Amino acid sequence: DMKVTQMPRYLIKRMGENVLLECGQDMSHETMYWYRQDPGLGLQLIYISYDVDSNSEGDIPKGYRVSRKKREHFSLILDSAKTNQTSVYFCASSLLGTSSNERLFFGHGTKLSVL
Amino acid sequence: GQQVQQSPASLVLQEGENAELQCNFSSTATRLQWFYQHPGGRLVSLFYNPSGTKHTGRLTSTTVTNERRSSLHISSSQTTDSGTYFCAIWTGGLSGKLTFGEGTQVTVIS
């Protein structure tokens, strides 16, 4: 069963608190991604991970960090969350990030509200 | 500048009508993909279509790479087609990433 699982689905935090968003996949995919989605902006790439401890900044990495200690797990961390980080966060995975026939699998998303 | 531009931003269809969504992109080496986002938020891959025409069900994707455009045609629309459609291109060379357009929100009414 090919699946990307995100936890939690909904989260409310106060400004300044730390936030941990977790993502898991059961397909042994090498590459994993964190995107955020905001109205009118589509999906914006925060970080991409090519394998364990092989992470690369995306387009909007400021204010975020990631951790990938196992191939099947990719975490997004917000140290001292800000109100402008209120968004819906999507995790995705793919077998290889540069394959010519790459299909991304997405999780359901985590809706984060920072008050 | 914007690497992927989609139009229209939103669209309302009467059930049974056809629709064409447009995607224009800034690079000729695109490995373009179309995605569908359910109203509840879940994203699914529809097509990997770097060039030419592909079909699945009532959906047809046509990409003309040298003109830097792709279209997604929905025929005989149904209410279950409602959602947001994104096109995306791979950018950044070997260590690439998928760059999304802003999406077209489709609402099909019965």
Side-chain angles (χ1 to χ4, degrees):
Chain A
D1 191 22
M2 300 184 293
K3 200 187 301 181
V4 177
T5 305
Q6 289 186 236
M7 293 290 288
R9 293 289 301 275
Y10 303 93
L11 188 59
I12 299 174
K13 287 285 191 177
R14 295 197 180 278
M15 192 169 59
E17 290 185 326
N18 298 332
V19 178
L20 173 65
L21 304 184
E22 309 222 60
C23 176
Q25 48 97 1
D26 60 3
M27 297 167 278
S28 298
H29 283 171
E30 292 186 356
T31 309
M32 297 186 74
Y33 314 77
W34 276 106
Y35 285 89
R36 64 177 279 178
Q37 184 179 29
D38 300 290
L41 293 178
L43 281 87
Q44 297 174 277
L45 180 65
I46 305 171
Y47 267 94
I48 184 171
S49 173
Y50 297 104
D51 210 330
V52 171
D53 284 330
S54 178
N55 307 317
S56 180
E57 294 182 348
D59 295 316
I60 51 164
K62 188 177 179 182
Y64 304 94
R65 62 184 174 92
V66 291
S67 175
R68 187 140 180 233
K69 297 301 180 185
K70 293 183 179 180
R71 179 171 281 188
E72 61 269 25
H73 290 134
F74 190 34
S75 301
L76 181 69
I77 301 131
L78 288 67
D79 295 314
S80 187
K82 301 173 180 54
T83 55
N84 62 9
Q85 292 178 306
T86 293
S87 187
V88 180
Y89 291 86
F90 285 95
C91 174
S93 74
S94 62
L95 185 59
L96 292 170
T98 58
S99 169
S100 63
N101 189 14
E102 204 51 68
R103 183 182 171 190
L104 261 66
F105 293 82
F106 281 87
H108 279 95
T110 295
K111 188 171 184 179
L112 171 67
S113 297
V114 182
L115 307 178
Chain B
Q2 187 81 20
Q3 297 192 66
V4 185
Q5 292 180 309
Q6 291 186 244
S7 62
S10 62
L11 191 59
V12 178
L13 300 169
Q14 196 74 36
E15 196 169 27
E17 286 183 332
N18 300 332
E20 188 152 293
L21 284 56
Q22 300 292 340
C23 176
N24 293 283
F25 41 87
S26 59
S27 169
T28 54
T30 63
R31 292 183 282 165
L32 184 132
Q33 299 191 28
W34 283 94
F35 292 84
Y36 167 68
Q37 185 172 35
H38 291 268
R42 189 69 187 256
L43 274 155
V44 295
S45 175
L46 292 175
F47 291 103
Y48 167 73
N49 189 17
S51 66
T53 299
K54 291 194 175 183
H55 305 274
T56 182
R58 293 175 294 100
L59 300 179
T60 302
S61 169
T62 300
T63 299
V64 184
T65 309
N66 60 359
E67 295 182 13
R68 302 182 184 181
R69 61 179 176 85
S70 182
S71 64
L72 180 68
H73 185 84
I74 305 173
S75 63
S76 303
S77 61
Q78 300 178 0
T79 55
T80 51
D81 295 330
S82 296
T84 304
Y85 293 80
F86 292 95
C87 68
I89 61 170
W90 284 100
T91 60
L94 288 178
S95 297
K97 60 187 183 186
L98 205 57
T99 299
F100 284 78
E102 294 179 3
T104 294
Q105 185 171 351
V106 174
T107 305
V108 182
I109 55 177
S110 58

